[in-house]
Amino acid sequence: MPGSNPRFLEKAQTLPVDEVFLDLEDSVAPSAKEEARKNVVAALREGDWSGKTRVVRVNDLTTQWTYRDVIEIVEGAGEFLDCVILPKVQDPTEVVWLDTLLTQIEKTMGYDVGRIGIEAQIENARGLVNADAIAGSSKRLETLVFGPADFMASINMRTLVVGEQPPGYVEGDAYHYILMRLLMAARMHDLQVIDGPYLQIRDIEGFKRAARRSAALGFDGKWVLHPSQVDAANEVFSPSQEDYDHAELILEAYEYYTTVEKRGAVMLGDEMIDEASRKMALVVAAKGRAAGLARTKSFTP
Ligand code: GLV
Ligand code: MG
């Protein structure tokens, strides 16, 4: 949500999303940056954000705004803030810089040191090539975020529609390598990994198409830019009822066979399950539980 628009900052509080980020970066005009900081502090302090992770995206480190963004937001509303998104991260030293500044502000203000997390947004080739080092650069780091619009621009990809394949490329998925690269870097350091925006806000099918791609690979979520995208995102990133039931069934059956019957590789219907099946089932079951799904099938030996 653009920090320069108080009406949107109100609206964001009512949406069924897991996280809200209040933006000081690219959705805010240069002339409105200072005003936006004040709006964001007020919205964090006075708004009702219950049930949502509260995040602010500051400007990137090539600009003159970053340090004041961090100081004003964290001094003004640090108790009401969960994470800071640092955009266009190219190098681990940028994250270390933010970590150090946060520590100094936390000490000055008497906040718990280390509570505020960092999300690093990767938006160009240098950031992607350095993704492993960036992902391991700070204990505060919680998430890597893909920034497809800036990324496509930075590598000269010939497209104007973010999230769609570049016209003329019919061989595969132009995003596959980038998404996988980010996924590996994030998982190597036990971080979350989040897909970026889809800008055609009226094209819900297009949004779902892009979202399904990262959801299938294992991404933890995707940005939404408009209320119209929220239901689609929640749907795509939640497992189907069928998959959720299947996962819970595997967990229950595996528990029974390994403890009661003391067997490690067993048949569940037509499927052989073992310890690796349990791990795969845990992933799907955890996503289903987080999405509030309820079981409709139970296991009988
Ligand atoms: C988001 O910041 C993007 O560049 O896609
Ligand atoms: Mg960007």
Side-chain angles (χ1 to χ4, degrees):
M1 289 290 177
S4 48
N5 190 326
R7 194 168 59 82
F8 286 179
L9 300 182
E10 282 282 317
K11 173 79 187 169
Q13 297 168 37
T14 67
L15 300 173
V17 296
D18 300 304
E19 168 172 326
V20 172
F21 87 82
L22 312 182
D23 195 21
L24 299 176
E25 202 220 13
D26 282 358
S27 70
V28 175
S31 55
K33 298 281 187 196
E34 288 180 18
E35 184 68 32
R37 289 182 191 133
K38 293 187 176 53
N39 296 338
V40 166
V41 168
L44 286 170
R45 296 195 70 89
E46 291 152 23
D48 175 7
W49 303 101
S50 37
K52 298 179 179 56
T53 302
R54 302 151 300 177
V55 182
V56 172
R57 181 168 72 168
V58 297
N59 287 279
D60 82 86
L61 273 170
T62 63
T63 71
Q64 71 271 39
W65 295 299
T66 328
Y67 77 105
R68 274 197 196 283
D69 287 346
V70 178
I71 292 168
E72 282 196 32
I73 299 301
V74 181
E75 284 195 352
E79 316 99 289
F80 306 93
L81 177 71
D82 299 305
C83 255
V84 174
I85 300 179
L86 188 61
K88 301 185 178 70
V89 175
Q90 308 193 58
D91 193 280
T93 58
E94 298 180 26
V95 178
V96 173
W97 172 88
L98 179 56
D99 185 335
T100 307
L101 183 54
L102 286 171
T103 300
Q104 295 197 340
I105 301 170
E106 286 166 339
K107 284 182 177 165
T108 304
M109 300 300 292
Y111 301 151
D112 289 347
V113 172
R115 192 192 60 81
I116 298 172
I118 298 176
E119 304 189 14
Q121 199 178 2
I122 307 295
E123 309 196 67
N124 65 16
R126 194 154 161 239
L128 191 69
V129 170
N130 288 333
D132 297 341
I134 291 168
S137 59
S138 160
K139 282 205 182 64
R140 292 185 193 261
L141 208 62
E142 297 183 8
T143 310
L144 296 185
V145 184
F146 179 37
D150 274 299
F151 199 97
M152 297 312 147
S154 84
I155 62 170
N156 288 1
M157 191 183 280
R158 205 177 53 184
T159 178
L160 286 172
V161 185
V162 176
E164 293 296 343
Q165 304 302 319
Y169 189 69
V170 291
E171 274 67 35
D173 175 9
Y175 295 83
H176 182 263
Y177 170 74
I178 307 163
L179 293 173
M180 272 309 217
R181 192 69 198 75
L182 289 173
L183 186 62
M184 293 308 139
R187 295 295 181 243
M188 180 164 100
H189 293 280
D190 289 327
L191 305 181
Q192 302 182 90
V193 57
I194 299 291
D195 193 6
Y198 188 80
L199 276 67
Q200 314 292 320
I201 56 170
R202 307 214 184 286
D203 182 359
I204 300 303
E205 272 318 303
F207 174 89
K208 286 189 184 175
R209 197 163 49 239
R212 278 193 203 108
R213 187 172 54 203
S214 54
L217 291 176
F219 272 58
D220 299 294
K222 182 171 174 64
W223 281 7
V224 291
L225 294 182
H226 188 269
S228 66
Q229 296 178 331
V230 173
D231 288 348
N234 284 332
E235 179 194 315
V236 172
F237 280 89
S238 308
S240 66
Q241 183 68 46
E242 195 185 339
D243 287 349
Y244 174 64
D245 279 333
H246 187 189
E248 293 283 17
L249 215 56
I250 291 176
L251 293 177
E252 209 183 345
Y254 188 72
E255 171 74 14
Y256 169 80
Y257 287 119
T258 50
T259 55
V260 180
E261 298 199 2
K262 299 194 171 24
R263 291 194 288 146
V266 293
M267 293 302 288
L268 177 65
D270 292 340
E271 169 186 28
M272 177 165 285
I273 58 170
D274 69 0
E275 176 58 23
S277 321
R278 186 186 70 87
K279 294 199 175 89
M280 290 194 292
L282 273 177
V283 172
V284 176
K287 285 182 198 263
R289 290 173 201 164
L293 294 184
R295 295 183 63 173
T296 61
K297 290 195 183 114
S298 62
F299 168 70
T300 37

